[in-house]
Amino acid sequence: MTDRPIRARPSRGFQFLALPDPDLLTRIPLSAHTVLHVGCTDGSLAAAYRPLNPRARLLGVAGDPGDFASAASCYDEIVTAEALPGRLPFDTPDGIDCIVYDGSLEQSPDPWALLRAHAALLTDAGVLLIRARNRSHWRLTEALLRGAADPPMLANPILAGPMLAGLDSDTMCRELEACGLYLADVVVREDKQDAARRFAAAITPALLTLGIDPEQYRERCQGSHRIWRACKSPIRRLHISGSMLSPVGGVSHVRVVHPLEALKTDPSVHTSVTDRIEPRPADTPGIFVLHRPALMGERGTRLLTALAEAGYVIVTEFDDHPDHFPMMRAGGELTFTGVHALQTSTEPLAAELRKYNQEVAVFLNALVSLPEPVNFIDPHAVTLFFGALNRENDWAPFMPVINDVAAMVGSRLRFQVVHDQQFFAALDTPHKSFTPTSDYETYQRLLAASEISFMPLSDTPFNRAKSDLKFIEAASFRVAALASPIVYEDSIRHGETGLVFRDAEDLWQALMRLVDLPNYARRLADNARRHVAAERMMAYQVSGRIAWYRSLWERREVLEQERRKRLARYAGLVA
């Protein structure tokens, strides 16, 4: 656990922040410890990044005193632009992991001196992001050709400074290289591509007369803004593809979509969710993650052969006990033996999977973003949330207790049930609502509006291998956990971040306490939310996941030999 303070998104009352530029936000590495934002205005970028990486230290340089007042609550420390010419007044002994220039570099009297000074502050894995206007944009040229007295890109006197309307790509690439930085990518922001092409085509004869390459000009004139991303160290590319089952609850999001979104914030990583074998540069390491595949017989062998021949390291992502699945009675061992490595969500499950393949990594389920709480609104009632599939054997022994409490407290206890029609029908109370199997967003919205999350699991081998995903989801929304010791005892600190019940009597006392003392329930939920913010965010796994995937690639020849040895034990299944 870090000693850096964990900060929730600041409350700003009725002041609404503008939406941040998504191309900037998604390019700030989620693994960053310290981020410097030069050119912050209302703080929207920091406010959007904070829930993704609560541990991060966010530093801001505001353009003027008005910006300072607007953005101050969103940053750990903030100064005005007067600090730019000299040494930054921030204590950064370990360096800065990401520096963002948000329309600010072009306003500096000497942008390249500023760039060199700040680049020296980057860590070895540091990233520089520059968002600037394109002074070669076709609309500016058109306005000048038409004799406009105040071309739109020069209307702002600040932007009409020493760098005219912005920065050009050729100069930017040259200066980044002079600073010892390596260009990772460039985002071109062009809202009217057809108009840009028509303009370039219209002036092509003049370009040819002037000896200007029309194709180069077409590339240079597009994009009112550009975002350059550069790195302090040489870029080692990594391509990660992942397949995904049809979403059920949030498993596909948590195990596939969110990790890949998090990983691609690293400038060296390209990710995609796909069911196809995508081409990639021959010299780029490739990892293909199969989400809970059912690899059997000829069809499974064909897929593994195709991936191996395409040069991928093949990983099976599996987060349930394999013996639960009928495929294991039909040759499904290939799912685990026929790939190079396995990844899962718990140590007990990893122990089961190592029976088939020794190369197993455990990545605890984690959240990509910490949501803003919306519950504990009604001081006279709480809502108990239950959302699960095929859980009757787990909840049935406790239904008499739940109904007993419901009868005693009446309207002070409401129920929100998702998926499980039998659980809903067994509730003997009028204060209940039911939602059929839904998308993940609906599931989250209903959970967020509740105050208690009921999480019973009976003691079975299948349940003992499950993860604590429901606890961290509930905790993130500030919902108090009421859970069985199976799985959750290792995650919940009883009486501090939730309540663990061992039998019907325990459940009766715990539920009555949560209903009678809503402030106590909220205190448990607040503690749990702080725990998730400190320990269970996807941002904190990015470096470890990338390191593991790179290690697989570096060991791919040995892993392939081991894979073939495993396959040789199954006649006719050698890929």
Side-chain angles (χ1 to χ4, degrees), residues 88-344:
L88 286 170
F90 302 121
D91 183 21
T92 57
D94 297 324
I96 300 174
D97 301 294
C98 183
I99 300 176
V100 181
Y101 294 102
D102 194 355
S104 55
L105 192 63
E106 64 226 64
Q107 299 177 28
S108 170
D110 192 347
W112 311 128
L114 184 66
L115 191 67
R116 287 191 295 273
H118 287 179
L121 302 176
L122 287 172
T123 61
D124 289 344
V127 173
L128 193 74
L129 284 169
I130 302 170
R131 179 182 181 273
R133 290 178 180 269
N134 176 16
R135 69 177 178 182
S136 299
H137 190 227
W138 66 273
R139 289 185 64 194
L140 174 60
T141 303
E142 182 187 41
L144 293 171
L145 289 172
R146 294 184 184 279
D150 55 348
M153 295 180 74
L154 293 180
N156 186 331
I158 295 178
L159 299 180
M163 295 306 295
L164 297 178
L167 305 172
D168 67 81
S169 289
D170 292 342
T171 303
M172 178 63 70
C173 293
R174 184 171 61 251
E175 293 296 335
L176 289 173
E177 184 177 355
C179 292
L181 300 173
Y182 300 83
L183 184 64
D185 50 49
V186 182
V187 176
V188 177
R189 301 289 293 277
E190 178 57 69
D191 297 329
K192 298 182 178 180
Q193 292 188 7
D194 290 342
R197 284 191 290 267
R198 288 195 300 269
F199 176 79
I203 67 168
T204 291
L207 295 173
L208 292 172
T209 300
L210 294 170
I212 298 173
D213 186 319
E215 187 62 36
Q216 290 183 0
Y217 178 77
R218 276 193 289 271
E219 190 280 329
R220 188 168 65 248
C221 79
Q222 291 200 46
S224 60
H225 292 75
R226 298 195 174 194
I227 297 175
W228 291 267
R229 180 163 59 165
C231 303
K232 187 69 171 287
S233 299
I235 301 165
R236 301 165 55 210
R237 301 290 183 184
L238 177 63
H239 187 109
I240 308 172
S241 296
S243 66
M244 189 176 79
L245 297 178
S246 298
V248 177
V251 173
S252 298
H253 291 75
V254 172
R255 298 304 298 173
V256 180
V257 178
H258 294 166
L260 292 182
E261 288 177 347
L263 293 178
K264 73 179 180 182
T265 66
D266 184 294
S268 68
V269 178
H270 170 81
T271 70
S272 63
V273 178
T274 180
D275 58 0
R276 300 180 180 180
I277 301 176
E278 298 179 325
R280 70 183 198 282
D283 59 345
T284 301
I287 309 293
F288 205 107
V289 182
L290 300 170
H291 179 223
R292 295 179 65 166
L295 303 177
M296 297 176 288
E298 183 179 351
R299 182 178 179 182
T301 301
R302 282 201 308 270
L303 174 59
L304 293 174
T305 299
L307 287 169
E309 290 179 348
Y312 280 96
V313 170
I314 313 165
V315 179
T316 283
E317 154 64 46
F318 219 84
D319 62 338
D320 267 323
H321 199 300
D323 292 350
H324 177 73
F325 296 88
M327 71 173 187
M328 298 304 290
R329 296 188 290 273
E333 296 93 344
L334 189 64
T335 299
F336 312 109
T337 61
V339 299
H340 296 104
L342 311 173
Q343 64 183 54
T344 191

Side-chain angles (χ1 to χ4, degrees), residues 467-488:
S467 80
D468 62 353
L469 174 59
K470 289 189 180 298
F471 166 59
I472 64 169
E473 285 177 333
S476 73
F477 287 109
R478 198 179 63 187
V479 177
L482 183 56
S484 65
I486 304 304
V487 170
Y488 300 111

